[in-house]
Amino acid sequence: MKYDLYSEFLTILVETLIQMDTSWEYVVYSNNKLDLSFTEKSKNVVVSETVWSLEEQMSLNNTFENEKFTLMVFFSHEKPIFYKKNFIVFIPSLLELFFTTNSFFWKFKYNFLMNSSLKSCKKVICFEQNTQLELNERLNIKEEMIEILEPFFLTDYRYEIAETVKIDVKAKYNLKSDYFIYDWENKANSNLSKLLKALIALKKNWIYVNLLMLSEETNSDIELREEVISYNVQDRVFFIWDINKSEEEFYYKQSIWVIYPSIYDSFPFRLSKAIRYDIPIIASNIPAIKKYIWDDIISFNPLSVTDLIH
């Protein structure tokens, strides 16, 4: 699991759980080079980013088997398929089951690992009722096997920032008009095409606004850039992948809105920074938005460009 807001959430969750019960000894495995040694009874072990290959599967499984754990907790479905001892698995979302543009082989691997985890786990943890229902109805997981853990927005930094560096974002990128922020993630639910069509419509009506897409993934995603060019809005869309934590606050506070056009999400972690910096939010009217921040936003139908423009 790459480092993102979900893994930051898990870091806080794991730290809290360990501090609540220090009678156990904990070993935290992570593919992120973070300080996860929260107490004297916990240690951090860095492992491979994925467990797709057979070699990685066997190696990780042997490590876990040798430790002789009482219980394992896997925070995604990507557990070693040969691990058969007691474990709990987190399924934060079924996004890749519902919305995916990946290859047939990728889908096969995803489904295989998912089924392997669900079939042999002791308990499944998810974030909301829709996921619980889908696990029960589509994947045949018994209701008593599923528990819902309500996540939370990450409104504070876990690590201190030594000093903020004030910048003028519009001057830095030579922006002649105001800008929205889209904390983008390269997934099938991003609904980017509708957002780009809205930019075109605004431009035709002489309303000029810029879109800053914040994500490390924008640095290397050629298809993303080609999509923006295909809509002829490359003069209005800026790819920002190298924001220093000391500058981040000013990117958000100088924006007029943060926009979130997702067509599906179990929990909108990517709005954490907008909430952290108290920035107005325009978001799609999906259930996760309605449940957690409905009263504090402007909403729209994510399937309607007209609704988004208005």
Side-chain angles (χ1 to χ4, degrees):
M1 189 168 51
K2 64 186 178 182
Y3 182 72
D4 55 16
L5 287 168
Y6 175 56
S7 58
E8 189 175 335
F9 160 75
L10 292 179
T11 300
I12 297 171
L13 177 64
V14 170
E15 180 176 17
T16 303
L17 291 174
I18 291 175
Q19 291 174 346
M20 286 176 59
D21 187 353
T22 58
S23 63
W24 289 67
E25 292 188 0
Y26 300 87
V27 180
V28 182
Y29 292 87
S30 170
N31 51 26
N32 301 311
K33 295 180 180 179
L34 301 175
D35 179 13
L36 298 176
S37 300
F38 304 119
T39 72
E40 292 182 357
K41 291 195 173 183
S42 71
K43 66 178 181 179
N44 181 39
V45 180
V46 178
V47 295
S48 174
E49 184 171 346
T50 63
V51 289
W52 290 123
S53 75
L54 181 60
E55 181 181 0
E56 288 168 333
Q57 288 268 342
M58 295 296 292
S59 174
L60 203 51
N61 185 70
N62 290 338
T63 300
F64 294 160
E65 292 284 354
N66 291 336
E67 288 281 4
K68 298 180 179 179
F69 296 122
T70 303
L71 178 69
M72 288 283 294
V73 180
F74 294 98
F75 291 106
S76 82
H77 67 285
E78 297 178 343
K79 77 158 189 71
I81 58 176
F82 303 107
Y83 189 78
K84 303 300 181 184
K85 295 185 178 180
N86 287 340
F87 70 91
I88 295 171
V89 62
F90 272 59
I91 305 295
S93 167
L94 291 174
L95 170 65
E96 302 297 349
L97 196 63
F98 301 140
F99 306 96
T100 182
T101 57
N102 290 302
S103 67
F104 172 81
F105 184 59
W106 187 96
K107 294 175 187 177
F108 176 81
K109 291 191 295 184
Y110 174 87
N111 288 325
F112 180 78
L113 286 178
M114 174 71 80
N115 289 325
S116 171
S117 294
L118 294 176
K119 188 165 57 176
S120 52
C121 69
K122 187 173 183 177
K123 187 74 70 175
V124 181
I125 308 294
C126 63
F127 289 161
E128 44 92 38
Q129 191 172 23
N130 287 336
T131 303
Q132 182 186 37
L133 291 173
E134 294 294 343
L135 285 167
N136 176 236
E137 295 174 5
R138 292 186 59 169
L139 299 175
N140 298 316
I141 306 301
K142 295 178 181 178
E143 287 187 21
E144 58 268 26
M145 287 279 293
I146 309 169
E147 290 192 12
I148 296 177
L149 170 70
E150 290 206 358
F152 48 82
F153 289 105
L154 307 168
T155 55
D156 297 307
Y157 270 118
R158 184 170 181 272
Y159 305 103
E160 290 188 8
I161 299 175
E163 184 179 356
T164 58
V165 178
K166 188 170 184 178
I167 61 168
D168 185 330
V169 176
K170 291 172 71 173
K172 181 175 181 177
Y173 296 101
N174 195 27
L175 306 181
K176 304 302 182 184
S177 55
D178 291 328
Y179 66 88
F180 293 86
I181 278 181
Y182 180 17
D183 196 344
W184 181 75
E185 187 173 24
N186 184 13
K187 291 192 174 179
N189 66 326
S190 67
N191 205 22
L192 178 61
S193 62
K194 292 288 194 303
L195 185 54
L196 297 180
K197 288 177 182 178
L199 280 180
I200 294 173
L202 291 173
K203 190 175 179 181
K204 287 180 178 177
N205 287 281
W206 303 97
I207 300 173
Y208 292 97
V209 64
N210 300 291
L211 178 67
L212 269 59
M213 297 183 65
L214 309 186
S215 172
E216 291 182 3
E217 296 174 274
T218 63
N219 184 32
S220 56
D221 196 316
I222 303 301
E223 289 184 5
L224 168 66
R225 294 166 184 269
E226 289 176 345
E227 183 173 7
V228 169
I229 292 172
S230 71
Y231 284 99
N232 195 30
V233 290
Q234 60 269 26
D235 61 329
R236 294 290 159 190
V237 179
F238 295 80
F239 306 109
I240 316 295
W241 64 85
D242 57 350
I243 296 180
N244 191 294
K245 292 297 182 187
S246 63
E247 301 175 346
E248 180 182 87
E249 174 183 356
F250 301 102
Y251 277 84
Y252 279 86
K253 288 190 173 180
Q254 291 171 32
S255 69
I256 53 174
W257 298 93
V258 168
I259 191 161
Y260 190 76
S262 175
I263 55 177
Y264 168 84
D265 214 333
S266 60
F267 185 83
F269 282 111
R270 301 190 79 80
L271 288 176
S272 291
K273 293 177 183 178
I275 295 171
R276 177 183 296 165
Y277 299 120
D278 195 25
I279 309 302
I281 295 170
I282 303 176
S284 51
N285 57 2
I286 58 176
I289 295 294
K290 290 180 178 180
K291 180 175 181 179
Y292 292 103
I293 55 172
W294 186 244
D295 295 334
D296 302 317
I297 66 165
I298 293 178
S299 64
F300 62 91
N301 180 350
L303 302 180
S304 169
V305 174
T306 302
D307 202 28
L308 174 55
I309 294 168
H310 290 164

